[in-house]
Amino acid sequence: MKQDNICHVPVTAIIKIIDGKAVMVSAEYADIPAEEIAAYLIEHRGGETM
């Protein structure tokens, strides 16, 4: 059962420059709770505007 508050995000990726643009050519994904992502952003960015 999929939860609405889970984000499927790349945690590692290989990026190559192709025709002058950054292109993700491969990635490893993980399912991470949105609350953990929000807590990480607040902890590392403080109250700054993103």
Side-chain angles (χ1 to χ4, degrees):
M1 176 191 321
K2 184 177 178 177
Q3 295 179 331
D4 290 336
N5 61 346
I6 298 295
C7 301
H8 189 70
V9 296
V11 292
T12 62
I14 296 176
I15 307 292
K16 292 189 177 184
I17 304 300
I18 300 173
D19 295 326
K21 296 182 180 182
V23 177
M24 183 168 53
V25 295
S26 67
E28 180 180 329
Y29 287 80
D31 294 328
I32 302 174
E35 295 144 359
E36 288 184 26
I37 296 171
Y40 177 88
L41 292 172
I42 291 168
E43 181 179 323
H44 289 84
R45 299 272 315 198
E48 298 176 30
T49 302
M50 287 191 224

